[in-house]
Amino acid sequence: MMRRKEFVGSSQVPEEIEREILSRLPVKSLCRFKTVKKSWRNLIGDSTFIAMHLNCYGSNTDGFLVHGCYSYGIQLSRSLSDQPRKFIIGSINGLVCLSDKIRCFLKKDDRLRIHICNPSTREVMELPQCYHDHNDFLSGIGFGFCRKFNDYKVVKVSYRRESSSSEAQVQVYSSNMNSWKMIKIENPSLWALLPLYRGSGCFNGAFHWQGLKKSSSKKIIKTVVSFQFDEEVFREINLPNDPDFQGDVQFFITEYRDFFSSLVVKQGPNVNVYKVWVMKEYGVPDSWIKQLTIEVPISQDQVMFRSIRDIKYKDILFQDSHHRFIWYDTKSKQMEGQSQLLLQWYCTRCKESLVSLSQKR
């Protein structure tokens, strides 16, 4: 009898090994496992385990694509689908920020609806209303994570249309406080922010926009503007001093092989040329290097590619002018495959995660 008891006891999996195994499973499985036993339910909802899962599982998968308020082709929330338009602001740690308005004038009684959702758990949270005055111009919205305080933040930049001053009105939402606050910035009229229709703005604890500024000679110069969430300050990232970025050229902010990157697009009579520039040391302008050049013949079905993502360091994902996805193999230098799924412009890649904002409220 004693031997039988000893055998049964030795067959139990130690808690640390159990935790390690669960941290490497997809979110959908973990949500089902909450009903298996109480200890698993408590573990899966624990903030320490959630961070562990994000690091173990989320860092080792490509994630999935989110467009509008849909992921995996499944509707997230009826309240979101009731809105006529949804703009994806950004994605970080499995959370996606959406807004019903970008780059527009806001009347005093207009409601700016901003949501943060987790497509993996289907959790959706609407942010409290932020202040805006009559005819404020909504210039930009950013979304990111403050590691210093484990805080998810949204920044909103607007300008007073009827004010003699061009000073920007900047408000920051904190998930820890579940409220907005006004902040003051230096050189408020230095940049004009451009909407981030394509690419990815979240990188290295900051959100990034394409920007324009005036030189001392009143010349308009392209630049990148970032908002650092830890310090709650704006900074400028200069683009490479290279002919690729001069003249009437399109560039998009993105991420390539874990580096902050810029995709430059030049249209020709027969081919479109795409040049990928990466910043080897974030924030250091001299570290920009040209990493990749892709030439794509123009055809009726492939008029203009719009975005870029690298998957498993091999393929690059483009989206053509018909909203279809096309893969580019960096080894064979060939376009491979074409998705029949038609998606809207506002699309981002998202990690699977258990991160929940409801625990902070």
Side-chain angles (χ1 to χ4, degrees):
M1 181 67 73
M2 287 296 294
R3 289 182 179 179
R4 178 177 175 80
K5 285 184 177 180
E6 288 175 3
F7 176 78
V8 172
S10 63
S11 67
Q12 293 180 349
V13 179
E15 286 185 8
E16 56 272 19
I17 295 178
E18 195 172 73
R19 188 183 302 112
E20 183 71 26
I21 293 171
L22 290 174
S23 71
R24 300 179 184 278
L25 298 179
V27 172
K28 190 174 181 180
S29 298
L30 292 177
C31 289
R32 291 202 312 267
F33 292 166
K34 283 184 178 182
T35 61
V36 174
K37 56 182 181 178
K38 185 178 179 180
S39 61
W40 281 11
R41 183 173 72 249
N42 294 337
L43 173 66
I44 293 168
D46 179 71
S47 58
T48 303
F49 176 80
I50 289 172
M52 181 182 181
H53 178 266
L54 184 65
N55 183 58
C56 293
Y57 183 80
S59 299
N60 294 307
T61 61
D62 291 326
F64 52 91
L65 293 168
V66 177
H67 59 103
C69 63
Y70 293 82
S71 67
Y72 300 113
I74 300 173
Q75 186 174 318
L76 281 176
S77 166
R78 185 177 297 277
S79 63
L80 286 181
S81 64
D82 288 341
Q83 299 176 35
R85 305 178 73 181
K86 293 157 289 288
F87 301 96
I88 290 179
I89 304 303
S91 174
I92 187 78
N93 292 345
L95 298 180
V96 179
C97 180
L98 305 101
S99 174
D100 66 337
K101 298 179 181 69
I102 55 172
R103 203 160 175 80
C104 63
F105 286 102
L106 297 171
K107 296 179 181 179
K108 194 168 184 177
D109 56 348
D110 278 349
R111 188 179 181 189
L112 176 62
R113 300 187 66 184
I114 299 175
H115 292 83
I116 296 177
C117 62
N118 183 328
S120 300
T121 62
R122 314 279 182 84
E123 181 185 358
V124 179
M125 185 184 80
E126 183 170 359
L127 272 55
Q129 283 296 295
C130 54
Y131 173 80
H132 58 265
D133 207 343
H134 178 65
N135 264 1
D136 276 6
F137 181 71
L138 177 61
S139 178
I141 301 175
F143 175 56
F145 179 60
C146 171
R147 291 182 180 273
K148 188 175 182 180
F149 299 109
N150 189 31
D151 195 6
Y152 291 89
K153 296 183 177 182
V154 176
V155 58
K156 167 183 167 283
V157 184
S158 60
Y159 294 87
R160 296 283 174 84
R161 184 182 186 185
E162 297 174 355
S163 173
S164 57
S165 169
S166 58
E167 183 176 346
Q169 307 292 319
V170 180
Q171 297 178 68
V172 177
Y173 169 82
S174 160
S175 62
N176 286 349
M177 303 299 293
N178 192 34
S179 63
W180 294 85
K181 68 177 180 180
M182 284 276 199
I183 65 169
K184 291 185 177 181
I185 60 172
E186 298 178 2
N187 301 322
S189 60
L190 182 60
W191 306 290
L193 306 181
L194 300 180
L196 195 74
Y197 290 118
R198 298 166 290 275
S200 175
C202 302
F203 188 83
N204 202 49
F207 191 87
H208 304 79
W209 296 269
Q210 302 168 35
L212 300 174
K213 68 173 184 178
K214 282 186 180 181
S215 66
S216 55
S217 61
K218 301 283 181 79
K219 183 180 178 181
I220 302 297
I221 300 174
K222 297 181 178 71
T223 187
V224 174
V225 181
S226 72
F227 182 80
Q228 307 289 323
F229 288 100
D230 277 0
E231 304 163 78
E232 295 187 347
V233 295
F234 285 91
R235 291 207 174 97
E236 180 184 2
I237 298 178
N238 291 322
L239 292 166
N241 184 18
D242 187 273
D244 281 352
F245 290 87
Q246 296 172 4
D248 186 19
V249 64
Q250 286 183 296
F251 78 93
F252 306 125
I253 297 167
T254 186
E255 182 181 339
Y256 180 70
R257 298 194 174 181
D258 298 326
F259 291 106
F260 181 75
S261 308
S262 179
L263 173 67
V264 181
V265 183
K266 290 194 173 182
Q267 291 179 278
N270 299 312
V271 295
N272 290 329
V273 180
Y274 302 86
K275 299 181 181 181
V276 180
W277 285 77
V278 302
M279 185 174 261
K280 289 294 186 179
E281 187 176 349
Y282 178 77
V284 180
D286 291 340
S287 68
W288 282 110
I289 65 166
K290 191 187 300 185
Q291 188 77 26
L292 195 65
T293 299
I294 303 170
E295 293 187 356
V296 182
I298 295 175
S299 68
Q300 289 183 341
D301 292 332
Q302 299 173 0
V303 180
M304 185 71 178
F305 293 93
R306 298 293 184 179
S307 59
I308 180 174
R309 289 304 266 179
D310 63 298
I311 307 294
K312 292 183 179 176
Y313 302 97
K314 176 188 176 186
D315 297 327
I316 295 177
L317 179 65
F318 284 100
Q319 193 176 10
D320 69 13
S321 59
H322 299 285
H323 306 190
R324 292 173 300 201
F325 290 125
I326 297 175
W327 299 93
Y328 176 81
D329 190 308
T330 55
K331 291 184 178 179
S332 66
K333 297 183 178 181
Q334 298 293 321
M335 291 290 173
E336 297 182 354
Q338 186 177 75
S339 167
Q340 298 301 314
L341 183 62
L342 304 182
L343 301 180
Q344 54 184 295
W345 285 127
Y346 309 102
C347 183
T348 190
R349 189 172 69 176
C350 183
K351 293 181 178 180
E352 277 195 56
S353 88
L354 294 161
V355 174
S356 170
L357 294 186
S358 63
Q359 295 177 342
K360 294 175 173 282
R361 301 177 71 179

